[in-house]
Amino acid sequence: MGNGGRVQLQRERELIAEFARRLRPDGLVIGTAGNLSVRSGDLVAVTPSGLDYDELTPATICVVDLEGRVAQGRCRPSSELPLHLQIYARSDTAAVVHTHSPYATVLGTVVPELPPIHYLIADLGGRVRVAPYATPGSQELAVHLEVALAGRAAVLLANHGAITIAGSLVRAYSRSLLLEWLSALYYRARVIGEPSLVGDEEVARVGRFLREYLGTDRDAP
Ligand SMILES: [Zn+2]
């Protein structure tokens, strides 16, 4: 164990274990297809591979460096860790939530973007882009992610799932819930007709208001 045996990123690991246990009841994952991470300095705490979410405790959360090397104890990080590291390498975001949530995943196979169906999409930075499919962890996907996430806090991954980012795990997680809700809203609206949309200028205005009201400048996309 490195660092003289001191437990690293304890608070981050507690948070990840807490939110990972919420993934299933919140309808964000099927099976164990979902993973969370938090960066602190040059270390990242991330959910482990192959463990049931209900079994997760702070001690089971992996700590890795920015190259993905396990920094403490014996641990097998999520197989989707490269996805998280690619985002940390290209932005200064502090938390990443990745899921295969049902409606967001459906939309990613059909539409080129999630349009402003509701004003709250402002919290995601506006229209949510769909990153074209590429093998998870590949350099190709890293490039797609960078393009799709520019100025945004969320992205749909074609034929894969969804990602949200924020300055804190609490906020990244709430954005995943929002993205899934917006995706379901859009899907349902399209079933019965062509939904009306909120203008991009109005979304930008609401975004400014949310940042002022919530004091989330640090978390802004
Ligand atoms: Zn995935």
Side-chain angles (χ1 to χ4, degrees):
M1 190 181 286
N3 210 19
R6 188 166 62 84
V7 176
Q8 300 182 84
L9 271 51
Q10 181 61 20
R11 194 173 60 84
E12 289 82 359
R13 295 163 95 177
E14 285 168 8
L15 264 178
I16 288 178
E18 177 191 335
F19 279 97
R21 288 194 297 268
R22 293 191 196 177
L23 282 167
R24 193 175 296 137
D26 281 342
L28 289 177
V29 300
I30 309 298
T32 60
N35 30 86
L36 320 175
S37 69
V38 176
R39 172 168 64 184
S40 177
D42 54 4
L43 291 177
V44 174
V46 61
T47 41
S49 172
L51 278 187
D52 196 288
Y53 292 116
D54 298 330
E55 296 171 10
L56 293 185
T57 62
T60 63
I61 304 302
C62 299
V63 177
V64 301
D65 65 19
L66 291 172
E67 277 74 52
R69 291 182 293 250
V70 175
Q72 179 177 298
R74 267 178 303 181
C75 188
R76 196 155 58 102
S78 162
S79 62
E80 299 201 279
L81 175 63
L83 205 62
H84 295 247
L85 295 180
Q86 284 170 345
I87 292 171
Y88 291 129
R90 287 170 171 77
S91 76
D92 59 0
T93 197
V96 174
V97 173
H98 168 53
T99 76
H100 298 174
S101 61
Y103 283 99
T105 307
V106 166
L107 284 198
T109 66
V110 177
V111 300
E113 64 173 15
L114 171 60
I117 178 92
H118 191 281
Y119 76 94
L120 279 176
I121 201 168
D123 187 43
L124 305 179
R127 298 168 179 269
V128 179
R129 304 184 188 101
V130 178
Y133 180 82
T135 308
S138 68
Q139 200 51 38
E140 198 186 353
L141 183 59
V143 173
H144 290 333
L145 277 177
E146 187 172 18
V147 172
L149 267 174
R152 299 291 189 276
V155 59
L156 299 175
L157 307 177
N159 310 102
H160 184 161
I163 290 176
T164 56
I165 62 174
S168 68
L169 183 61
V170 175
R171 198 131 165 74
Y173 190 88
S174 74
R175 283 175 167 160
S176 276
L177 288 173
L178 174 63
L179 179 59
E180 179 63 5
W181 179 76
L182 289 168
S183 298
L185 185 65
Y186 188 62
Y187 174 95
R188 287 169 175 145
R190 286 287 298 267
V191 168
I192 56 170
E194 192 58 39
S196 61
L197 299 175
V198 181
D200 291 315
E201 277 180 25
E202 172 61 10
V203 171
R205 189 177 305 125
V206 173
R208 287 192 294 275
F209 170 77
L210 286 178
R211 283 192 290 279
E212 281 166 29
Y213 181 74
L214 298 172
T216 53
D217 283 315
R218 200 170 65 84
D219 293 342

